[in-house]
Coordinates of all heavy atoms in Angstrom, one line a residue:
N255 N 17.8 7.5 -0.1 CA 18.4 8.2 1.0 C 17.3 8.5 2.1 O 16.1 8.5 1.8 CB 19.0 9.5 0.6 CG 20.2 9.2 -0.4 OD1 20.9 8.3 -0.2 ND2 20.3 10.1 -1.4
P286 N 29.6 18.8 -1.2 CA 28.8 17.6 -1.2 C 29.6 16.4 -1.2 O 30.6 16.2 -1.9 CB 28.0 17.8 -2.4 CG 27.9 19.2 -2.7 CD 29.2 19.8 -2.3
K288 N 29.4 12.1 -1.3 CA 28.6 10.9 -1.7 C 29.5 9.7 -1.4 O 30.6 9.6 -1.9 CB 28.2 11.0 -3.1 CG 27.1 10.0 -3.5 CD 26.6 10.3 -4.9 CE 25.6 9.3 -5.4 NZ 24.3 9.5 -4.8
L350 N 14.2 9.6 -0.1 CA 14.5 10.4 -1.3 C 15.3 9.5 -2.2 O 16.4 9.0 -1.8 CB 15.3 11.6 -0.9 CG 15.6 12.6 -2.0 CD1 14.4 13.4 -2.5 CD2 16.7 13.7 -1.5
N351 N 14.8 9.2 -3.4 CA 15.5 8.2 -4.2 C 16.8 8.8 -4.7 O 17.0 10.0 -5.0 CB 14.6 7.8 -5.4 CG 14.5 8.7 -6.6 OD1 15.5 8.9 -7.3 ND2 13.3 9.3 -6.8
G352 N 17.8 7.9 -4.8 CA 19.2 8.3 -5.1 C 19.4 8.8 -6.5 O 20.5 9.2 -6.8
K353 N 18.4 8.7 -7.4 CA 18.6 9.3 -8.7 C 18.7 10.8 -8.6 O 19.2 11.5 -9.5 CB 17.5 8.9 -9.6 CG 17.6 7.6 -10.3 CD 16.9 7.5 -11.6 CE 17.6 8.2 -12.7 NZ 16.9 8.1 -14.0
K354 N 18.1 11.4 -7.5 CA 18.1 12.8 -7.3 C 19.4 13.2 -6.8 O 20.0 12.5 -6.0 CB 17.0 13.2 -6.4 CG 15.6 12.9 -7.1 CD 14.4 13.5 -6.3 CE 13.1 13.3 -7.0 NZ 12.0 13.8 -6.2
D355 N 19.9 14.4 -7.1 CA 21.2 14.8 -6.8 C 21.4 15.0 -5.2 O 20.4 15.2 -4.5 CB 21.5 16.2 -7.5 CG 23.0 16.5 -7.5 OD1 23.4 17.1 -6.5 OD2 23.6 16.2 -8.5
T356 N 22.6 14.9 -4.8 CA 22.9 15.2 -3.3 C 22.4 16.6 -2.9 O 22.0 16.8 -1.7 CB 24.4 15.1 -3.1 OG1 24.9 13.9 -3.6 CG2 24.7 15.2 -1.6
V357 N 22.3 17.5 -3.9 CA 21.8 18.8 -3.6 C 20.3 18.7 -3.1 O 19.9 19.6 -2.3 CB 21.9 19.7 -4.8 CG1 21.2 21.1 -4.6 CG2 23.3 19.9 -5.2
N358 N 19.5 17.8 -3.6 CA 18.2 17.6 -3.1 C 18.1 17.3 -1.6 O 17.3 17.8 -0.9 CB 17.4 16.6 -3.9 CG 17.1 17.0 -5.3 OD1 18.0 16.8 -6.2 ND2 16.0 17.5 -5.6
L359 N 19.0 16.4 -1.2 CA 19.1 16.1 0.2 C 19.5 17.3 1.0 O 18.9 17.6 2.1 CB 20.1 14.9 0.4 CG 20.2 14.3 1.8 CD1 20.4 12.8 1.7 CD2 21.4 14.9 2.5
K360 N 20.5 18.0 0.6 CA 20.9 19.3 1.2 C 19.8 20.3 1.4 O 19.5 20.8 2.4 CB 22.1 19.9 0.5 CG 22.6 21.2 1.0 CD 23.8 21.7 0.2 CE 24.4 23.0 0.8 NZ 23.4 24.1 0.9
S361 N 19.1 20.5 0.2 CA 18.1 21.6 0.3 C 16.9 21.2 1.2 O 16.2 22.0 1.8 CB 17.6 21.8 -1.2 OG 17.0 20.7 -1.8

Side-chain angles (χ1 to χ4, degrees):
N255 297 322
K288 194 174 176 73
L350 187 68
N351 82 66
K353 277 206 80 178
K354 296 187 176 178
D355 197 275
T356 307
V357 172
N358 289 87
L359 185 141
K360 176 182 184 300
S361 60

